[in-house]
Amino acid sequence: MSGVPSAATRRTVAFLRRFVKPRIRSLTAPLRGLQAVVETFSPERRAPFAPQIPGDWIPASGGAVATLFYLHGGAFLVGSPRLFRYAAREFARAGFDVFTPAYRLAPEHLFPSALEDVLRAYRAFVEARPEPFVIVGDSAGGGLAVSLMLRIRDEGLRPPAAAALSSPWVDLAATGASMRENEARDPLFTRKDILLGARAALGRQSARHPLASPIYADLSRLPPMLVHVGADEALRDDSTRLVARARQAGVDARLETWPCVPHAWQLMSFLPEARESRAKAIEFLKARVSEVTARAAPARNGFAKRR
């Protein structure tokens, strides 16, 4: 990670701040229209071993090191597996079998609909596939990933080996200091934008519910996680506090703060910082999978000898 932002990032941030940020609240309908067009021309590809679960399945290029659960963002208001297929495909090229579960969107379906959908998908996958799992999530999908890991822990399901989160939205109450400190610097969002999005996703439910805003949850016994966030994001302190609280709970949690980049920049594949961040996430996930596999090997060998 270079301390000097690329020229492409500087230009992108300037464009977003000038043309997108003032219109961000009016973009939900156009983005849903784009999503509908993409889905019209991109057939759904469900996993053959779990056809009852809606989502998008991309097998690894070559032998798979693990199954990767990709949870897309979109403020719980927009987004679908097929719209984010281009991002999931990058992880498949790196050697992961990738599944992006579909989840219901707000405001038609309020919390906890999205969490229920991804938990159902995860449960079906761990029953069908014995190999290690990892989770990747961006923005709202990053917060959803943490909530999913909490449910996995509490239900005693087989946990993922690790999670990589980019700009996770984990505090729908918007209480972080960066909400005000970075309000002018953030190229996309103001605190009011974030609060309005949260209310649309929550309805009348509390923004401090620990599964809606996992920053307020007991984070103990969660898998290792790598968190990337932009220094200028209004959501910066969602990440810094998540990692701090996870570490206090004994979790192996790592934080990298990137200069200048916009929210969830990993989705902007034309940025050098996006490629670098994704490469670091892939390296982290593969290392954790190797550790889990190495720990499991003696147990498998002992079982084989007993047989």
Side-chain angles (χ1 to χ4, degrees):
M1 176 177 57
S2 171
V4 179
S6 67
T9 289
R10 292 196 298 270
R11 289 193 296 268
T12 299
V13 164
F15 174 85
L16 293 173
R17 185 175 288 120
R18 181 174 180 181
F19 295 106
V20 178
K21 186 174 184 176
R23 301 168 178 84
I24 195 73
R25 295 179 205 169
S26 65
L27 292 181
T28 299
L31 287 173
R32 283 196 168 192
L34 172 63
Q35 179 175 317
V37 171
V38 169
E39 292 175 353
T40 298
F41 294 99
S42 302
E44 186 180 45
R45 301 186 300 207
R46 297 194 180 194
F49 49 84
Q52 76 278 18
I53 302 298
D56 199 53
W57 171 251
I58 308 176
S61 301
V65 298
T67 298
L68 187 149
F69 234 56
Y70 180 73
L71 302 182
H72 68 77
F76 299 110
L77 300 172
V78 297
S80 74
R82 282 174 278 175
L83 187 64
F84 283 80
R85 181 180 288 169
Y86 78 96
R89 189 180 292 123
E90 296 299 325
F91 292 99
R93 288 171 178 158
F96 295 95
D97 285 337
V98 182
F99 185 70
T100 306
Y103 59 82
R104 288 168 290 173
L105 299 175
E108 295 84 358
H109 304 281
L110 302 176
F111 169 81
S113 297
L115 179 56
E116 291 172 348
D117 292 344
V118 299
L119 177 63
R120 174 173 174 259
Y122 186 87
R123 189 183 290 119
F125 267 64
V126 295
E127 290 174 357
R129 295 176 71 82
E131 66 271 11
F133 279 76
V134 295
I135 296 178
V136 170
D138 60 79
S139 189
L144 187 59
V146 181
S147 297
L148 174 60
M149 290 189 291
L150 292 169
R151 290 293 304 273
I152 291 168
R153 178 200 65 191
D154 293 347
E155 293 197 12
L157 299 175
R158 176 155 53 94
L165 314 174
S166 58
S167 304
W169 189 21
V170 294
D171 180 9
L172 275 63
T175 63
S178 59
M179 286 290 171
R180 299 191 186 280
E181 293 173 1
N182 283 349
E183 194 162 26
R185 286 192 292 268
D186 190 303
L188 281 173
F189 306 117
T190 65
R191 183 172 183 267
K192 186 174 182 180
D193 297 333
I194 292 166
L195 286 171
L196 287 171
R199 189 45 49 201
L202 291 167
R204 296 185 177 182
Q205 298 178 80
S206 172
R208 293 176 184 261
H209 189 293
L211 290 176
S213 295
I215 194 73
Y216 302 108
D218 170 16
L219 301 177
S220 61
R221 296 183 290 115
L222 291 190
M225 64 179 75
L226 173 67
V227 180
H228 285 183
V229 71
D232 294 341
E233 290 192 56
L235 285 167
R236 179 198 67 203
D237 288 349
D238 280 38
S239 292
T240 59
R241 291 180 297 148
L242 172 67
V243 170
R245 294 183 183 188
R247 287 173 175 169
Q248 290 172 357
V251 176
D252 176 6
R254 309 177 187 191
L255 175 70
E256 288 191 8
T257 304
W258 296 60
C260 188
V261 293
H263 176 71
W265 73 97
Q266 296 84 354
L267 299 174
M268 304 175 191
S269 298
F270 56 89
L271 298 180
E273 291 89 341
R275 296 189 291 273
E276 184 182 355
S277 174
R278 185 167 54 247
K280 288 190 170 192
I282 289 168
E283 180 183 16
F284 172 80
L285 294 172
K286 286 185 174 180
R288 302 291 84 73
V289 168
S290 295
E291 291 174 1
V292 168
T293 304
R295 288 197 299 268
R300 288 198 303 269
N301 292 338
F303 177 75
K305 291 178 180 178
R306 288 195 298 273
R307 292 183 66 189

